[in-house]
Amino acid sequence: MRCICRFRSVVLLVAFLALGLPVESRAQALPSVPTPIVTRAPDAGTAFNHVAIPLPTDFVEEEFFVEGTTSVGAYRTRILVRRPRADAFNGTVLVEWFNVSFNFDIDIEWPALRDQVLRDGYAYVGVSVQTIGLNTLKALNPARYGTLVHPDPNPVPAGNTQPASFDIFSQVGKAAPSSASSSV
């Protein structure tokens, strides 16, 4: 399983390079990672796409808002962090770009990675990076997600990506180790 995960990372890097997508083309400011979301109303509910199968007691799932600036403009998005207690954290954070093929955030990799993440002490961070996903979140739960903003407010069809999404994802990836290692 360990080789499969490393293989996926290599495949993703090769895919980015083959498609000519920027892996790291310029220095970017790290986004701020505020405290976990505090719901503003009793009916604000739980995090969208929270774990369906409960995590062990030594793991926690938290949702954070993340703010920053891309070359296109400012953003406010959300991340889901699934992590072990601090003394069980192996120091590696796996960051997933939520898929929006069905016009809402889907954590495609989590089911495949879950057992290894739990067994080996990884932290997992899922990131909402595309307008269509943010718009769906805001429509489903405005009390919880009404303040989310993408620098490009015009959604693109599923399968297409907005350039600012790459900036958001890379900035969150840089900030993930500090946000994922907080103590339970």
Side-chain angles (χ1 to χ4, degrees):
M1 186 68 152
R2 201 171 282 223
C3 293
I4 292 172
C5 291
R6 288 187 183 143
F7 178 73
R8 282 185 187 161
S9 299
V10 171
V11 169
L12 289 175
L13 178 60
V14 170
F16 267 67
L17 295 173
L19 293 171
L21 300 174
V23 175
E24 178 70 38
S25 59
R26 63 186 178 284
Q28 298 171 341
L30 290 177
S32 61
V33 181
T35 57
I37 293 173
V38 176
T39 56
R40 292 178 289 281
D43 63 342
T46 58
F48 185 80
N49 66 328
H50 63 91
V51 291
I53 300 170
L55 296 171
T57 57
D58 58 343
F59 263 76
V60 66
E61 178 179 66
E62 299 171 299
E63 185 177 41
F64 296 86
F65 282 156
V66 179
E67 300 177 30
T69 303
T70 70
S71 56
V72 177
Y75 66 88
R76 180 177 174 92
T77 192
R78 63 93 185 219
I79 61 173
L80 276 180
V81 177
R82 298 169 184 148
R83 61 175 176 79
R85 65 181 188 275
D87 64 338
F89 179 48
N90 72 11
T92 301
V93 179
L94 307 173
V95 183
E96 178 178 5
W97 176 311
F98 283 144
N99 183 300
V100 293
S101 293
F102 297 105
N103 296 327
F104 58 86
D105 288 346
I106 305 168
D107 49 352
I108 297 288
E109 292 298 324
W110 173 252
L113 297 172
R114 182 184 191 281
D115 290 344
Q116 185 171 3
V117 167
L118 299 178
R119 180 184 65 239
D120 295 342
Y122 289 99
Y124 165 92
V125 176
V127 188
S128 297
V129 295
Q130 293 182 259
T131 301
I132 194 74
L134 296 181
N135 287 348
T136 300
L137 288 169
K138 293 190 313 187
L140 290 173
N141 194 335
R144 189 179 190 93
Y145 299 117
T147 62
L148 299 181
V149 176
H150 194 282
D152 181 355
N154 302 312
V156 296
N160 296 319
T161 305
Q162 300 154 304
S165 297
F166 291 102
D167 288 347
I168 294 168
F169 187 70
S170 65
Q171 289 179 17
V172 169
K174 289 177 188 175
S178 61
S179 65
S181 60
S182 336
S183 61
V184 174

